[in-house]
Amino acid sequence: MIYTRKSDVTAGRVARSVGKPHATILDQHEILALGAEWEELAAHAVQENPYYTRRYVTAQLAYIERRPVQALAVWQDHKLIAFLPFVKDPWRWGGIVYVNKSWSTPYTTLSVPLIDARFAQSASTALLSAMASGLTGSSTWLLLDVTLKGSAFRHLHQAQTTLDLRSKTFDIFERATLSRSGTFDEHLKTHLSKNRRKSLNRNRRRLEEAGPLSLETYTEGEKLEEALQHFLRLEQSGWKGRSGTALASTPQTRAFAEMAFGNQPIGSPTNHTTETAKYLETRIDLLMLNDQPIAASVSVQAGRTAFTLKSAFDESYRHQSPGLLLEEAIIRSFLNGNWADRLDSAADAGHVLETLWNGTITVGDVLLTASQSNAKFLFGAFTFLETTRRMARQTMKQALRSLRR
């Protein structure tokens, strides 16, 4: 394995040795210089992660992120076979030792690295070896929001076992997912309570008394841009707008949304096919009443998995639950159509989609020491520090909630 502390980027290409796995650290400029190789890796990733795809990363770096972001990149000949963006957190444990954290923001819910399925195990081993090498200045890592039974972590865990490295998992929870199983009617009877079905039917009839009710879906072109503006308006008109957390609340977050979810060009990498260039796609579903949107859902689709990132509804219709009626319509479209194999709710535990969808995935944070030189005692100390930090944050949150009552 070869390591370098700085990549040599020329016309978007990183210098690397032919025939040998080659790990580099990329700074933000070098990350953005990647083109076709990044698109190809995303298209062949062993597990989909839309947040680490070229369009989404570019949008976040342009408008959201202010920390210096780097990435570990592993190459095999001329192919990028693993990619893990990260940030350094020197004060996480009071400056005792700094931690590398997989890159996450308020607009990401998954931080597994992109690993090429064609080189899955060798890429995973090379990535962990690079993490252990001291290339980044620290061999202690915190991987946030990892699907613990997903393909990417399974390969990393196998490599971890081979390399005899230590890890500890924190804050495990179940995230709602929807997989293709049975018909729409069978799904309703199996996974929705009788009271829920009656409530949805009653609210649908009430809305239909006011006019035609329909689902409209957009994935490209000017109609997608128009649908995105409908979503931004609905979100801004609700509680998120009042609290200042809607995407349209600031010029920066609006610009991020328009780049991440719209049709804005992000550059012109050469030598890539239409398939890989279009790997990350946006889908916006609108519930229409009298040809006006009263609920909207924004998803991004990577491969055959769609991640339902954002939703909003017109609060003047809140008593008719337009958001839930839109979710029901999306379930119908998903089960009756063939546009995805799985939906990921991108949500925390306790989300309402758990009562509507048919499955879950296990998610957690993983503390990893990637160096064998860290003895059991030292890793035990790291585990204690992280446990103490999380307990303190939880206690503080509970105290703040008590004060607000």
Side-chain angles (χ1 to χ4, degrees):
M1 185 62 151
I2 299 173
Y3 308 108
T4 59
R5 287 194 174 275
K6 196 75 170 174
S7 60
D8 178 19
V9 178
T10 304
R13 297 288 179 174
V14 180
R16 45 200 171 269
S17 300
V18 176
K20 298 180 180 179
H22 185 83
T24 61
I25 293 183
L26 307 181
D27 63 24
Q28 185 166 317
H29 172 76
E30 294 161 342
I31 291 171
L32 295 175
L34 296 174
E37 55 269 73
W38 193 353
E39 299 274 10
E40 182 180 356
L41 171 60
H44 293 90
V46 71
Q47 180 179 341
E48 299 93 344
N49 184 352
Y51 310 112
Y52 286 175
T53 56
R54 184 166 173 254
R55 172 175 290 278
Y56 207 86
V57 168
T58 300
Q60 292 205 95
L61 291 179
Y63 298 111
I64 300 297
E65 184 58 81
R66 294 296 174 261
R67 297 168 296 177
V69 177
Q70 298 175 284
L72 268 179
V74 178
W75 306 84
Q76 176 68 47
D77 297 336
H78 296 290
K79 292 186 181 296
L80 178 63
I81 62 172
F83 178 76
L84 176 61
F86 68 94
V87 294
K88 295 181 178 181
D89 189 351
W91 297 106
R92 186 171 186 87
W93 299 332
I96 297 174
V97 61
Y98 83 73
V99 180
N100 293 319
K101 294 193 305 185
S102 57
W103 182 41
S104 65
T105 75
Y107 302 102
T108 61
T109 64
L110 183 66
S111 297
V112 296
L114 296 180
I115 298 172
D116 195 316
R118 298 167 297 182
F119 307 89
Q121 205 51 54
S122 61
S124 301
T125 301
L127 181 63
L128 276 182
S129 296
M131 293 163 70
S133 68
L135 183 64
T136 64
S138 175
S139 61
T140 303
W141 292 75
L142 186 61
L143 305 181
L144 303 171
D145 293 322
V146 173
T147 45
L148 299 176
K149 297 179 182 178
S151 298
F153 187 69
R154 184 172 68 249
H155 286 290
L156 286 175
H157 185 68
Q158 290 173 1
Q160 175 192 338
T161 301
T162 300
L163 296 171
D164 192 26
L165 307 178
R166 298 176 177 87
S167 66
K168 172 70 174 178
T169 306
F170 296 89
D171 295 345
I172 299 173
F173 70 95
E174 296 297 314
R175 172 175 291 164
T177 60
L178 180 63
S179 58
R180 302 179 63 82
S181 177
T183 66
F184 173 71
D185 290 337
E186 290 170 345
H187 179 90
L188 291 186
K189 293 177 181 178
T190 303
H191 297 285
L192 274 69
S193 68
K194 184 177 180 180
N195 286 339
R196 173 77 79 184
R197 297 196 302 269
K198 289 174 64 176
S199 176
L200 288 170
N201 290 333
R202 181 173 60 252
N203 287 325
R204 188 185 308 105
R205 288 194 300 269
R206 288 176 178 174
L207 287 174
E208 288 173 341
E209 290 172 359
L213 193 65
S214 63
L215 174 70
E216 294 184 3
T217 301
Y218 301 100
T219 59
E220 59 185 359
E222 292 183 2
K223 291 293 186 180
L224 175 64
E225 297 288 351
E226 293 175 7
L228 177 58
Q229 295 305 316
H230 286 314
F231 163 76
L232 292 173
R233 177 183 57 79
L234 285 171
E235 187 184 48
Q236 183 65 27
S237 69
W239 68 268
K240 287 188 177 181
R242 294 189 293 274
S243 65
T245 59
L247 284 170
S249 293
T250 70
Q252 291 77 18
T253 52
R254 175 182 277 276
F256 157 70
E258 291 173 344
M259 177 179 282
F261 307 131
N263 293 316
Q264 289 187 17
I266 59 169
S268 301
T270 58
N271 301 323
H272 64 275
T273 67
T274 301
E275 178 184 359
T276 54
K278 292 183 64 177
Y279 176 71
L280 183 68
E281 296 184 345
T282 299
R283 174 189 172 99
I284 298 181
D285 293 286
L286 301 175
L287 185 67
M288 308 292 289
L289 178 63
N290 287 322
D291 295 325
Q292 296 298 315
I294 62 171
S297 173
V298 179
S299 304
V300 290
Q301 185 164 341
R304 296 289 295 172
T305 302
F307 296 75
T308 58
L309 302 187
K310 291 285 184 178
S311 62
F313 64 89
D314 186 334
E315 292 187 356
S316 64
Y317 294 97
R318 61 184 178 276
H319 295 302
Q320 287 77 44
S321 302
L324 288 179
L325 288 172
L326 176 58
E327 294 296 345
E328 180 195 40
I330 292 172
I331 293 172
R332 182 193 297 273
S333 173
F334 172 75
L335 292 176
N336 290 346
N338 190 34
W339 49 271
D341 292 333
R342 187 170 68 92
L343 301 187
D344 184 312
S345 67
D348 291 333
H351 195 275
V352 67
L353 288 178
E354 293 178 12
T355 67
L356 302 176
W357 288 7
N358 60 13
T360 62
I361 53 174
T362 306
V363 179
D365 300 340
V366 179
L367 178 65
L368 172 71
T369 176
S371 174
Q372 292 174 316
S373 63
N374 284 326
K376 288 183 179 181
F377 172 78
L378 190 56
F379 184 68
F382 293 165
T383 300
F384 173 78
L385 289 170
E386 184 63 20
T387 302
T388 301
R389 185 181 189 276
R390 289 174 183 254
M391 290 177 63
R393 285 175 60 86
Q394 184 62 28
T395 300
M396 186 178 298
K397 288 180 180 179
Q398 291 173 350
L400 288 173
R401 282 196 294 265
S402 298
L403 290 173
R404 289 170 182 165
R405 290 173 183 170

